């Protein structure tokens, strides 16, 4: 994948949003709540069309959002596992839909289990798993659906703080081995800086890019990074930007 | 492994308790009639009813099997058509707006009024009774299928669409399985209703069936035979309901967890 850029003028959620992501890049998006992050993702996932005048490019070719259906692997906020499928069959759902042979897909998923900390759990059903494990099954489903671009919409939002940091490190680990392009939404600034090659801060609704910062911190990243001076300086800057936007939307909502 | 063992022993324990309850109820029936001196034409002793069945087991067995066949055919047809209707209404709202009110009206016509007509159309056949059983069952299944399909989380649908799933794949892999708990609620109801339909259908004229046994006993004021027929229909109704409930527990093993 070379470049995805989009600029479109919606009345509400997004206005004149432009973004391009390089292949293999890990881009994180933060912003005040209700800034249109999810709208952005729905467009990139092909679920919503942007308004007229918007331009989407995928692999240097202009396209409609709906053409992106099946070409981007999307992970929503909730795990959305199917309760009647066990771990393996949930993980291969996307592969099954694109018509891959079940046996091959199962074999690949089975080989991937240890990497996702799910070894020995292949026959379990979602209601028998913890929240962190369910989330890992959902991530595995996203990874198995091999597409150039992965969209992760606050995948760790529902997890407790400890599980969350574990999952972040683990995700970086997996990403470094598989080298996928990732667009990652979060509202946690630490998470955004810790994970990303680049952090985007969105403005209050209508959403646009307020600030884009390259994160020039060495990889592999370790947990003590969060106290490094460069990290703190970057965090300061991003927090200020978010604060400003949050105040704007707060004033807009109370002033009206 | 205790959980696995509990899965096997729990149903056995529950089953044996149920049997104990049945025996207790039988003893209370028998004892009450004797102790309170209830006259036989109000309530005969259970043992008398059972021995009446044992005296002419063939008549009861034939009646049971005949009504069972009518009930089953009506139930299966009603469930199948009901689910298809639900899916069709879900996929084509135009169809739903056109036909659903007609279905509702059809369901407000009492089955008794309708039964004579069906017998006129289909004659005194097994099919006529199955049609009445069908008439009572397809509607609740239609309604619940539609409800279940509409209740599927739109985010889940969006996820499958993002994988490039076609409408058909979304229906088969997500919406129908998700609707199963709702559909089974209707199927349990339909299990009882289809038996009612079959018995009422037999009242419009037939020679075998539990409904026929009930009518004959009523005309002859034979209270013992009446109770015998009631026991037969209870056995059929409960057994069928239990089968559907068992299938539900096997198929919808994940429960209402979403």
């Amino acid at each position: 994948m070379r470049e995805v850029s989009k600029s479109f003028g919606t009345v509400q959620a997004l206005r004149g949003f432009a973004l391009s992501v390089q292949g293999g890049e890990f881009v994180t998006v933060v912003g005040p709540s209700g800034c249109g992050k999810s709208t952005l993702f729905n467009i990139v996932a092909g679920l919503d069309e942007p308004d007229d005048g918007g331009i989407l490019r995928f692999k240097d070719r202009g396209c409609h959002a709906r053409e992106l259906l099946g070409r981007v692997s999307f992970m929503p906020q909730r795990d959305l596992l199917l309760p009647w499928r066990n771990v393996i069959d949930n993980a291969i759902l996307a592969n099954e839909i694109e018509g891959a042979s079940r046996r091959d897909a199962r074999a690949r998923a089975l080989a991937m289990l240890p990497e996702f900390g799910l070894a020995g759990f292949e026959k379990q059903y979602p209601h028998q798993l913890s929240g962190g494990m369910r989330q890992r099954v959902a991530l595995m489903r996203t990874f198995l659906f091999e597409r150039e671009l992965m969209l992760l919409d606050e995948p760790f939002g529902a997890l407790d703080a400890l599980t969350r940091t574990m999952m972040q490190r683990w995700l970086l680990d997996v990403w470094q081995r598989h080298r996928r392009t990732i667009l990652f939404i979060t509202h946690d600034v630490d998470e955004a800086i810790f994970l990303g090659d680049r952090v985007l801060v969105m403005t209050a609704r209508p959403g646009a890019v307020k600030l884009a910062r390259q994160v020039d911190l060495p990889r592999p990243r370790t947990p003590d990074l969060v106290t490094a001076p460069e990290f703190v300086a970057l965090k300061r800057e991003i927090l200020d930007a978010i604060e400003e936007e949050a105040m704007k939307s707060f004033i807009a909502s109370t002033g009206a | 492994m205790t959980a696995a063992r509990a899965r096997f022993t729990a149903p056995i324990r529950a089953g044996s308790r149920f049997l104990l309850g049945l025996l207790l109820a039988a003893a209370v029936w028998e004892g009450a009639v004797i102790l309170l001196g209830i006259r036989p034409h109000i309530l005969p002793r259970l043992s008398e009813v059972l021995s009446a069945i044992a005296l002419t087991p063939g008549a009861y067995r034939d009646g049971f099997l005949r009504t069972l066949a009518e009930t089953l055919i009506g139930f299966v047809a009603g469930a199948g058509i009901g689910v298809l209707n639900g899916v069709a209404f879900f996929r084509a709202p135009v169809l739903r707006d056109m036909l659903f009110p007609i279905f509702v009206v059809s369901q407000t016509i009492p089955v008794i009024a309708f039964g004579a007509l069906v017998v006129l159309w289909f004659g005194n056949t097994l099919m006529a009774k199955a049609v009445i059983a069908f008439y009572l069952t397809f509607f609740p299944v239609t309604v619940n299928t539609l409800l279940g399909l509409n209740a599927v989380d739109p985010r889940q649908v969006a996820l499958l669409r993002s994988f490039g799933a076609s409408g058909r794949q979304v229906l088969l892999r997500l919406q129908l399985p998700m609707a199963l708990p709702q559909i089974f609620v209707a199927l349990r109801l339909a299990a009882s209703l289809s038996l009612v339909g079959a018995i009422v259908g037999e009242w419009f004229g037939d020679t075998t069936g539990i409904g026929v046994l009930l009518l004959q006993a009523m005309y002859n004021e034979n209270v013992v035979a009446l109770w015998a027929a009631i026991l037969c229909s209870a056995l059929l109704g409960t057994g069928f309901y239990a089968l559907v409930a068992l299938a539900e527990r096997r198929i919808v093993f994940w429960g209402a967890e979403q």
Side-chain angles (χ1 to χ4, degrees), chain A residues 4 79 91 126 143 156 159 169 172 178 238 241 254:
Chain A
V4 176
D79 56 68
F143 266 89
F156 308 141
L159 301 178
R169 274 152 63 196
L172 278 185
H178 294 262
I238 290 170
T254 51

Side-chain angles (χ1 to χ4, degrees), chain B residues 25-256:
Chain B
V28 169
W29 179 348
E30 190 80 19
V33 174
I34 297 170
L35 289 177
L36 303 175
I38 298 172
R39 277 167 303 168
H41 74 266
I42 305 286
L43 181 67
R45 281 186 297 139
L46 176 62
S47 53
E48 253 181 277
V49 175
L50 290 178
S51 55
I53 297 177
L55 212 60
T56 51
Y60 289 100
R61 191 193 57 225
D62 293 349
F64 185 90
L65 290 180
R66 167 74 181 222
T67 306
L68 174 67
E70 295 158 0
T71 306
L72 272 183
I73 294 172
F75 175 83
V76 170
I81 302 277
V83 170
L84 286 181
N85 274 336
V87 171
F89 287 176
F90 176 69
R91 297 295 288 270
V94 183
L95 212 62
R96 185 192 61 211
D97 294 346
M98 267 165 42
L99 293 182
F100 201 76
I102 300 177
F103 279 20
V104 175
V105 170
S106 82
Q107 292 300 305
T108 58
I109 305 171
V111 68
I112 299 278
F114 187 64
L117 201 63
V118 173
V119 171
L120 270 178
W121 285 343
F122 292 87
N124 245 329
T125 59
L126 193 151
M127 227 7 100
K129 283 83 188 175
V131 166
I132 295 173
F134 162 81
Y135 169 78
L136 284 182
T137 53
F138 86 94
F139 188 68
V141 180
T142 302
V143 171
N144 272 39
T145 305
L146 190 59
L147 268 179
L149 289 173
N150 278 326
V152 174
D153 189 341
R155 288 173 297 185
Q156 202 111 44
V157 178
L159 177 70
L160 261 77
R161 288 214 306 127
S162 86
F163 293 149
S166 64
R168 196 188 141 87
Q169 282 176 318
V170 175
L171 181 71
L172 291 180
R173 270 159 226 259
L174 171 67
Q175 287 159 332
L176 267 183
M178 267 305 181
L180 274 179
Q182 280 281 2
I183 294 175
F184 264 106
V185 171
L187 288 183
R188 273 189 277 136
L189 185 67
S192 322
L193 285 175
S194 58
L195 177 59
V196 171
I199 289 179
V200 170
E202 286 167 2
W203 287 354
F204 290 97
D206 210 329
T207 48
T208 41
I210 293 174
V212 177
L213 292 174
L214 278 169
L215 270 197
Q216 283 171 349
M218 194 172 84
Y219 288 140
N220 299 331
E221 288 183 40
N222 184 344
V223 181
V224 174
L226 194 61
W227 277 99
I230 291 173
L231 273 190
C232 281
S233 60
L235 183 67
L236 178 52
T238 321
F240 190 31
Y241 184 92
L243 268 182
V244 174
L246 183 73
E248 176 178 8
R249 247 193 309 174
R250 281 290 160 83
I251 295 170
V252 193
F253 60 88
W254 65 89

Side-chain angles (χ1 to χ4, degrees), chain A residues 47 69-70 72 74 76 78 80 82-84 93-94 96-97 125 127 134 141 145, chain B residues 153 155-156 158-165 169 173-174 177-178 253-254 257-258:
Chain A
L47 296 167
L69 285 174
V72 172
F74 174 53
R78 290 184 54 223
L80 300 177
L82 301 180
W84 56 90
L93 178 65
E96 215 181 291
I97 283 170
Y125 287 89
H127 64 269
R134 293 177 60 125
R141 180 182 61 199
F145 189 53
Chain B
D153 189 341
R155 288 173 297 185
Q156 202 111 44
L159 177 70
L160 261 77
R161 288 214 306 127
S162 86
F163 293 149
Q169 282 176 318
R173 270 159 226 259
L174 171 67
M178 267 305 181
F253 60 88
W254 65 89
E257 184 255 0
Q258 294 281 317

Side-chain angles (χ1 to χ4, degrees), chain A residues 116-118 131-141 167 170:
Chain A
F116 284 73
L118 292 163
M133 289 170 89
R134 293 177 60 125
Q135 214 64 24
R136 286 200 295 265
V137 177
L139 266 170
M140 191 165 146
R141 180 182 61 199
M167 294 285 290
W170 168 84

